[in-house]
Amino acid sequence: MDKNPSTNLIAKSKSLFSLNSLADTYNNKGLKFLEKDDYENAIACFFQSLDYDNNYAHAYSNIGNALLQKGNYDEAVKMYEDAIKLDKNNSIYHYNLGVALTQCNDNKSAAKAYKDCLKINPKNSSALKFLGNCYNNLKMFPEALNIYRKWEKLDKNNPEPNFLQGQIHIRHGRFNVGWKLYEYGLKNNIRKPFKGYYDESKPLWNGKPFDGTLLVYGEQGIGDQINFGTLIPELLEIQKKIIIKVDIRLKDIFKNTFPNIEVVGEDFFVKKETYDKYISLGSLCKIFRNHTDKFINSKFDRYIVRRNHNPKIKEFFSGIKGLKVGISWCSFSEKNGAQRSLSTDDLAKITKFHNINFINIQYGNVLKQVKEVKLLNGNEILKVPFTDLTRDINSVASIIQNCDLIISVDNTTAHLAASMGKPVWILLPFSSEFRWMENITPALWYRNATLLRQAKENSWDSVVDLVCKSIEGSELS
């Protein structure tokens, strides 16, 4: 028996301190690896930290952070849940759990995690943003608007809450308020107008005719420019002298369609003395699309492209007999490309019909998926040889012209085909982009486009089944 009981107490204290110190040491070492994006060594250090203190919530959370950055979202969820079991009052753990669940496309669970975060820290503006987005994705639109308004009050200098509210109003046909709020997207480069817009010294156009030249800045992606470009005929009715900046890949199509305006590439420097006022392309909507009737009575007919400008395309289609269906199944949008895209299995179900020629109009590196489809259904998705479906929009347009029908998810190809006047079936996720509206099947923007929407979040089953039945029950099959 020790004659000095305080010795044991000090020893135990030193032992406990030593254990915590080593846990902290390995945790801090892991954080340094994490700063260098060395995820494997970071994770190894965090697990070593847990060897010394299995109740160290920070270490679990940091493992979650590393896995989240690696893209291992399901595993990250488990780590954040372990951290929360040990410390349920840490708002950051709940927030990061929400982020991981969002990446897993589990909006319902993610919304709960963000709400738990906000109970602890009501001023977390990022949690408000992503909670609103979850409600939006779940089609809980009143709840989404309410959260965005709270975010707006908390973060008064941030234009994004108003911008997102505008998109909800637009998709429900409240165009006046919607397009007004959509303008907030220009206040923080959310809409990404082309170079020169934010350096302007000329007056911003207010929609009234004037004696002079209007410079229209393109914005966002190719699909957005194609879509908003359909307003140009109405613009020409009130403003004759126009210069428009578009993605260089669209220059020929816009020139062919609108021969009376000057079309330049996005990086072209337009001299100040050649124009008098300016506007961003998407801002034309508040002038020319502020009521449903404006869509229905649109003056736009179709984009004009050169047919078979590529001899390889003419040669390819001359050898194909029977019905030709162009198909595009992927979106590479950073925001929600995965939710918009079809799986290989779903694509194989749609392209299983051997009496139909399915033509590949999908941009990007999709060769592996095309091969997998053939293994699944024995049918080949045909590709026009020596054509660049990513950069050569004119060739894509020419291929579309030669098809009888286009089936596409929501991407650039869908906008291009629909704006060319081709019959298009556009396959949409449960909560689609604002311009496709809600509860309508004919597209408001394009007379010839039919919208096929997911009935259940993250499931293409109902859409694929409808496509297959429509093919079987039509003259296509």
Coordinates of all heavy atoms in Angstrom, one line a residue, residues 135-166:
Y135 N -35.6 21.8 -48.9 CA -37.0 22.0 -49.0 C -37.4 22.2 -50.5 O -38.4 21.7 -51.0 CB -37.5 23.2 -48.2 CG -37.6 22.9 -46.7 CD1 -37.3 23.9 -45.8 CD2 -38.0 21.7 -46.2 CE1 -37.4 23.7 -44.4 CE2 -38.1 21.5 -44.9 CZ -37.8 22.5 -44.0 OH -37.9 22.2 -42.6
N136 N -36.6 22.9 -51.2 CA -36.8 23.2 -52.6 C -36.7 21.8 -53.4 O -37.6 21.5 -54.2 CB -35.7 24.1 -53.2 CG -36.1 24.8 -54.5 OD1 -37.2 24.6 -55.0 ND2 -35.3 25.6 -55.0
N137 N -35.7 21.0 -53.1 CA -35.5 19.7 -53.7 C -36.7 18.7 -53.4 O -37.0 17.8 -54.2 CB -34.2 19.1 -53.4 CG -33.0 19.9 -53.9 OD1 -33.2 20.6 -54.9 ND2 -31.9 19.8 -53.3
L138 N -37.3 18.9 -52.2 CA -38.4 18.1 -51.8 C -39.7 18.6 -52.3 O -40.8 18.1 -51.9 CB -38.4 18.0 -50.3 CG -37.2 17.2 -49.6 CD1 -37.1 17.4 -48.2 CD2 -37.3 15.7 -49.9
K139 N -39.7 19.8 -53.0 CA -40.9 20.5 -53.5 C -41.7 21.0 -52.3 O -42.9 21.1 -52.4 CB -41.7 19.6 -54.4 CG -41.1 19.2 -55.7 CD -42.1 18.6 -56.7 CE -41.5 18.4 -58.1 NZ -42.5 17.9 -59.0
M140 N -41.1 21.3 -51.2 CA -41.8 22.0 -50.1 C -41.5 23.5 -50.2 O -40.8 24.1 -49.5 CB -41.2 21.4 -48.8 CG -41.4 19.9 -48.6 SD -40.6 19.2 -47.2 CE -41.4 20.0 -45.8
F141 N -42.2 24.0 -51.2 CA -41.9 25.4 -51.7 C -42.2 26.5 -50.6 O -41.4 27.4 -50.4 CB -42.5 25.7 -53.0 CG -42.0 24.8 -54.1 CD1 -42.9 23.9 -54.7 CD2 -40.7 24.8 -54.5 CE1 -42.5 23.0 -55.7 CE2 -40.2 23.9 -55.5 CZ -41.1 23.0 -56.1
P142 N -43.4 26.4 -49.9 CA -43.6 27.4 -48.9 C -42.5 27.4 -47.8 O -42.1 28.5 -47.3 CB -45.0 27.1 -48.4 CG -45.6 26.3 -49.5 CD -44.5 25.5 -50.1
E143 N -42.1 26.2 -47.4 CA -41.1 26.1 -46.4 C -39.8 26.7 -46.9 O -39.0 27.3 -46.2 CB -40.9 24.6 -46.0 CG -42.1 24.0 -45.2 CD -43.2 23.5 -46.1 OE1 -43.2 23.7 -47.3 OE2 -44.1 22.9 -45.6
A144 N -39.5 26.4 -48.2 CA -38.2 26.9 -48.8 C -38.2 28.4 -48.8 O -37.2 29.1 -48.4 CB -38.0 26.3 -50.2
L145 N -39.3 29.0 -49.2 CA -39.4 30.5 -49.2 C -39.2 31.1 -47.8 O -38.6 32.1 -47.6 CB -40.8 30.9 -49.8 CG -40.9 30.8 -51.3 CD1 -42.4 31.0 -51.8 CD2 -40.0 31.7 -52.1
N146 N -39.9 30.4 -46.9 CA -39.8 30.9 -45.5 C -38.3 30.9 -45.0 O -37.8 31.9 -44.4 CB -40.6 30.0 -44.6 CG -40.6 30.5 -43.1 OD1 -40.8 31.6 -42.8 ND2 -40.3 29.5 -42.2
I147 N -37.6 29.8 -45.3 CA -36.2 29.7 -44.9 C -35.3 30.7 -45.6 O -34.4 31.4 -45.0 CB -35.7 28.3 -45.1 CG1 -36.4 27.3 -44.1 CG2 -34.2 28.2 -44.9 CD1 -36.2 27.6 -42.7
Y148 N -35.5 30.9 -46.9 CA -34.8 31.9 -47.7 C -35.0 33.3 -47.1 O -34.1 34.1 -47.1 CB -35.1 31.8 -49.2 CG -34.6 30.5 -49.9 CD1 -35.4 30.0 -50.9 CD2 -33.4 29.9 -49.5 CE1 -34.9 28.9 -51.6 CE2 -33.0 28.8 -50.2 CZ -33.7 28.3 -51.2 OH -33.3 27.2 -51.9
R149 N -36.2 33.6 -46.7 CA -36.5 34.9 -46.1 C -35.7 35.1 -44.8 O -35.2 36.2 -44.5 CB -38.0 35.1 -45.9 CG -38.8 35.2 -47.2 CD -40.2 35.6 -47.0 NE -41.0 35.4 -48.2 CZ -41.9 34.5 -48.4 NH1 -42.2 33.6 -47.5 NH2 -42.6 34.4 -49.6
K150 N -35.7 34.1 -44.0 CA -34.9 34.1 -42.8 C -33.4 34.4 -43.1 O -32.7 35.2 -42.4 CB -35.0 32.8 -42.0 CG -36.4 32.7 -41.3 CD -36.4 31.4 -40.5 CE -37.8 31.2 -39.8 NZ -37.8 30.0 -39.0
W151 N -32.9 33.7 -44.1 CA -31.5 33.8 -44.5 C -31.3 35.3 -45.0 O -30.3 35.9 -44.7 CB -31.2 32.8 -45.6 CG -29.9 32.9 -46.2 CD1 -28.7 33.4 -45.7 CD2 -29.5 32.4 -47.5 NE1 -27.7 33.3 -46.6 CE2 -28.2 32.7 -47.7 CE3 -30.2 31.7 -48.5 CZ2 -27.5 32.3 -48.9 CZ3 -29.6 31.4 -49.7 CH2 -28.2 31.7 -49.9
E152 N -32.3 35.8 -45.8 CA -32.2 37.1 -46.3 C -32.1 38.2 -45.2 O -31.3 39.1 -45.2 CB -33.4 37.4 -47.1 CG -33.5 38.8 -47.7 CD -34.9 39.1 -48.3 OE1 -35.7 38.2 -48.4 OE2 -35.2 40.3 -48.6
K153 N -32.9 38.0 -44.1 CA -32.8 38.9 -43.0 C -31.5 38.8 -42.2 O -31.0 39.8 -41.7 CB -34.0 38.7 -42.0 CG -35.3 39.0 -42.6 CD -36.5 38.7 -41.7 CE -37.8 39.0 -42.3 NZ -38.9 38.6 -41.4
L154 N -31.0 37.6 -42.1 CA -29.7 37.4 -41.4 C -28.5 37.9 -42.2 O -27.6 38.4 -41.6 CB -29.6 35.9 -41.1 CG -28.3 35.5 -40.3 CD1 -28.4 36.0 -38.9 CD2 -28.2 33.9 -40.3
D155 N -28.5 37.7 -43.5 CA -27.4 38.1 -44.4 C -27.8 39.1 -45.4 O -28.0 38.8 -46.6 CB -26.9 36.8 -45.0 CG -25.5 36.9 -45.6 OD1 -24.9 37.9 -45.5 OD2 -25.1 35.9 -46.2
K156 N -28.0 40.3 -44.9 CA -28.7 41.4 -45.7 C -27.9 41.8 -46.9 O -28.5 42.3 -47.9 CB -29.0 42.6 -44.8 CG -30.0 42.3 -43.7 CD -30.2 43.5 -42.8 CE -31.2 43.2 -41.7 NZ -31.5 44.3 -40.8
N157 N -26.6 41.6 -46.9 CA -25.8 42.1 -48.1 C -25.6 41.0 -49.1 O -24.9 41.2 -50.1 CB -24.5 42.6 -47.6 CG -24.6 43.8 -46.8 OD1 -25.4 44.7 -47.0 ND2 -23.8 44.0 -45.7
N158 N -26.2 39.8 -48.9 CA -26.1 38.7 -49.8 C -27.3 38.6 -50.7 O -28.4 38.5 -50.3 CB -26.0 37.4 -49.0 CG -25.6 36.2 -49.9 OD1 -25.7 36.2 -51.1 ND2 -25.1 35.1 -49.2
P159 N -27.1 38.7 -52.0 CA -28.2 38.7 -53.0 C -28.8 37.3 -53.2 O -29.9 37.2 -53.8 CB -27.6 39.3 -54.3 CG -26.2 38.9 -54.2 CD -25.8 38.9 -52.7
E160 N -28.1 36.3 -52.8 CA -28.5 34.9 -53.2 C -29.9 34.5 -52.7 O -30.6 33.8 -53.4 CB -27.4 33.9 -52.8 CG -27.6 32.5 -53.5 CD -26.5 31.6 -53.2 OE1 -25.6 31.9 -52.5 OE2 -26.6 30.4 -53.8
P161 N -30.2 34.8 -51.4 CA -31.6 34.4 -50.9 C -32.7 35.0 -51.8 O -33.6 34.3 -52.1 CB -31.6 35.0 -49.5 CG -30.2 35.3 -49.1 CD -29.4 35.5 -50.4
N162 N -32.6 36.2 -52.3 CA -33.6 36.8 -53.2 C -33.6 36.1 -54.5 O -34.6 35.8 -55.1 CB -33.3 38.3 -53.3 CG -33.7 39.1 -52.1 OD1 -34.9 39.2 -51.8 ND2 -32.7 39.6 -51.4
F163 N -32.4 35.8 -55.0 CA -32.3 35.1 -56.3 C -32.9 33.7 -56.3 O -33.7 33.4 -57.2 CB -30.8 35.0 -56.6 CG -30.5 34.2 -57.9 CD1 -30.8 34.7 -59.1 CD2 -29.9 32.9 -57.8 CE1 -30.5 34.0 -60.3 CE2 -29.6 32.2 -59.0 CZ -29.9 32.7 -60.2
L164 N -32.7 33.0 -55.2 CA -33.4 31.7 -55.1 C -34.9 31.8 -54.9 O -35.6 30.9 -55.4 CB -32.7 30.9 -53.9 CG -31.2 30.5 -54.1 CD1 -30.6 29.9 -52.9 CD2 -31.1 29.6 -55.3
Q165 N -35.3 32.8 -54.2 CA -36.8 33.0 -54.0 C -37.4 33.3 -55.4 O -38.5 32.8 -55.7 CB -37.0 34.2 -53.1 CG -36.8 33.9 -51.6 CD -37.0 35.2 -50.8 OE1 -38.1 35.6 -50.7 NE2 -35.9 35.7 -50.2
G166 N -36.6 34.1 -56.2 CA -37.1 34.4 -57.6 C -37.4 33.2 -58.4 O -38.4 33.1 -59.1

